[in-house]
Amino acid sequence: MIKGEKIYLRPILKKDINYLNEWKNDEETFQYLGGGFMPTSIDQQEKWMDSLIDTSGNNKRFFISNNENVPIGMIGLYDINWINRTCELGIYIGNKNTKGKGYGKEACKLLEQFAKDYLNLRKIKLNVVSDNVVAIQLWNSLDYKVIGELKDERFIKGEYKSLTLMEKFINL
């Protein structure tokens, strides 16, 4: 378990499937994420659970809970490149009652520290939909730097949206 002040990160368990399925089926939560919004049955999601809980490869996913054990969301490091010591970061807050309370920011800080101290990673990259103002503000507050843009990269609600590419060096 990776403990912070208001939250902790823990490995995902198969019993978390009901939360994950509820969040996956919420359009507001998933529209801006890389996989996009696509309603998914719990039966289909059960097939993915083994890969979600596996932390032995190049993806490290964690469940975010507050200190009262209320499930909040999911965060992960993806496509870890062990030679270049880089990865991508993804996060979402699925529990709508906990949005805007700083839990996402704390989760990112905890995962960055874990990536630096235990995985010896040096750079984290991410893509964010350019008009997702709340997310851009979060990444700016965490000192991620804009390095480029992919024009008309994601199809969301009938429109193509651009992606802002960002990165942060965590271990120089």
Side-chain angles (χ1 to χ4, degrees), residues 36-62:
F37 172 66
M38 177 60 64
T40 304
S41 72
I42 201 160
D43 297 327
Q44 180 65 43
Q45 203 149 6
E46 281 177 352
K47 294 178 182 178
W48 304 336
M49 285 304 289
D50 286 338
S51 66
L52 275 177
I53 64 177
D54 182 10
T55 58
S56 64
N58 296 330
N59 298 316
K60 313 291 182 201
R61 296 176 186 91
F62 298 94

Side-chain angles (χ1 to χ4, degrees), residues 57-76:
N58 296 330
N59 298 316
K60 313 291 182 201
R61 296 176 186 91
F62 298 94
F63 207 64
I64 307 167
S65 291
N66 70 16
N67 288 335
E68 290 79 42
N69 297 315
V70 174
I72 295 172
M74 192 172 96
I75 190 168

Side-chain angles (χ1 to χ4, degrees), residues 81-133:
N81 183 312
W82 298 107
I83 294 171
N84 297 316
R85 298 177 27 235
T86 63
C87 67
E88 293 184 29
L89 187 146
I91 182 174
Y92 68 87
I93 301 299
N95 184 326
K96 292 182 181 189
N97 296 327
T98 62
K99 288 187 178 186
K101 297 185 178 185
Y103 296 139
K105 187 171 186 174
E106 184 176 348
C108 290
K109 288 180 179 180
L110 289 172
L111 198 60
E112 288 173 5
Q113 197 65 46
F114 175 77
K116 177 181 175 181
D117 293 347
Y118 292 95
L119 302 179
N120 193 30
L121 298 177
R122 65 181 185 88
K123 182 169 73 169
I124 298 176
K125 305 175 280 185
L126 58 91
N127 305 322
V128 58
V129 176
S130 299
D131 64 359
N132 187 347
V133 177

